Amino acid sequence: MISITAIILLISVFAGFIGSLLGLGGGIIITPALTLLLGIDIKYAIGASIVSVIATSSGSAIAYLKDKITNVRAGMFLEIATTIGALTGAFLAGVVSTRYLYLIFGFLLLYSAGNMFKKRNQELPQEFPINPLADKLKLNGSYWDRALSRQVDYHVTGVYGGFGMMYAAGVISGLLGIGSGIFKVMAMDSFMKLPMKVSTATSNFMIGVTAAASAGIYLTRGNIDPKIAAPVALGVLLGAAVGTKLMQRLKSRTLRLVFIPVLLYVSIEMIMKGIRL
């Protein structure tokens, strides 16, 4: 019979693979899998989820940075909004009704899934006028696309909209205690018009910073159990190593087709949770 540790390891490999491929972190898979399939206490599942996000980011960030797919300047700029949003969310916790937040953000993700579906066949963003703020902050960039076998130059637009969405991502993360990787990708892809590969790689870079900031709190609370967190970290690192290699060989439209069902799943889950509260 397969041991619990081996099952956790296998789940984590899959979580790391999907997380690195789509820039979401492994928490979207780890938490429900540990609680629903294995009956592990939610507080330890969330602690392991935090570890999985850090492991996903660590496992994929190096490869994406090496290939210059990650837009580090954009990531650090947007991390300011996420951090401020997380602090705001923590401050508002217990004051704002989480039911309405689940519903609002659930429908927002549903709307975003529709928008992403409309441009499912778009390989690269259309040409946009140079954004003065993006130009000033040097957010524009380029990378070598292995799938297209050419250099891709891109201009960042919608800086204010992206910054605002990142702030909202931080708020919901702080209020609801969920990962905000899916909002990060959505903000960069839909608002700032970054190429899908750049959005997922930059999100992977950012989620590690966000998770590392909160990991200490979970550790001091005793919510990180080494017997659970260790196989999670190992599995996620293995999965992330495979995911990063595959992502660089896939076309952006393929990534979108994988991302849309995940977006739909999360949006429906949030809406249902809001209705049940």
Side-chain angles (χ1 to χ4, degrees):
M1 187 174 178
I2 303 176
S3 67
I4 296 283
T5 302
I7 295 172
I8 293 174
L9 184 67
L10 290 172
I11 291 170
S12 301
V13 169
F14 179 69
F17 173 75
I18 294 295
S20 63
L21 197 66
L22 302 179
L24 306 181
I28 193 173
I29 295 168
I30 293 292
T31 302
L34 294 183
T35 53
L36 300 177
L37 296 180
L38 302 178
I40 292 172
D41 191 301
I42 185 67
K43 65 180 181 181
Y44 296 118
I46 292 173
S49 173
I50 291 292
V51 171
S52 77
V53 172
I54 296 172
T56 301
S57 181
S58 302
S60 57
I62 295 173
Y64 291 149
L65 284 168
K66 183 180 177 183
D67 288 343
K68 298 181 180 179
I69 302 176
T70 302
N71 190 321
V72 178
R73 292 186 70 89
M76 295 309 294
F77 169 67
L78 295 172
E79 196 65 53
I80 297 170
T82 307
T83 304
I84 296 172
L87 292 173
T88 306
F91 177 75
L92 294 175
V95 178
V96 180
S97 172
T98 55
R99 176 183 183 180
Y100 297 112
L101 283 170
Y102 273 117
L103 290 171
I104 290 168
F105 282 100
F107 281 112
L108 178 61
L109 287 179
L110 199 59
Y111 171 77
S112 299
N115 273 347
M116 194 170 281
F117 182 77
K118 288 178 183 177
K119 57 179 184 179
R120 63 191 180 280
N121 293 320
Q122 184 186 96
E123 181 59 33
L124 294 170
Q126 297 173 352
E127 289 295 324
F128 294 96
I130 293 176
N131 185 288
L133 183 57
D135 196 42
K136 186 176 182 180
L137 295 174
K138 298 179 181 178
L139 301 182
N140 304 317
S142 66
Y143 69 98
W144 177 261
D145 195 309
R146 292 187 187 178
L148 301 177
S149 298
R150 70 180 180 89
Q151 192 75 15
V152 175
D153 299 315
Y154 61 90
H155 296 294
V156 177
T157 187
V159 176
Y160 296 111
F163 195 85
M165 193 62 222
M166 287 294 176
Y167 174 77
V171 170
I172 193 171
S173 181
L175 267 173
L176 306 180
I178 63 173
S180 55
I182 200 161
F183 290 96
K184 288 180 170 69
V185 176
M186 185 185 72
M188 287 183 276
D189 179 73
S190 300
F191 287 84
M192 303 178 76
K193 312 301 181 188
L194 269 68
M196 188 65 183
K197 287 187 177 182
V198 177
S199 298
T200 57
T202 305
S203 175
N204 266 306
F205 170 72
M206 292 175 68
I207 57 177
V209 178
T210 307
S214 57
I217 298 171
Y218 286 90
L219 189 62
T220 54
R221 286 178 184 169
N223 292 350
I224 297 180
D225 185 340
K227 295 191 295 295
I228 301 170
V232 164
L234 178 60
V236 165
L237 280 170
L238 291 171
V242 177
T244 50
K245 289 182 180 178
L246 180 61
M247 192 276 259
Q248 295 172 53
R249 289 171 171 77
L250 293 177
K251 291 188 175 182
S252 291
R253 66 185 112 190
T254 307
L255 286 176
R256 276 203 181 87
L257 290 175
V258 178
F259 192 83
I260 289 168
V262 176
L263 200 55
L264 283 171
Y265 166 75
V266 175
S267 64
I268 292 168
E269 277 290 305
M270 293 186 78
I271 290 169
M272 294 305 296
K273 197 163 188 176
I275 292 171
R276 288 194 297 264
L277 285 176

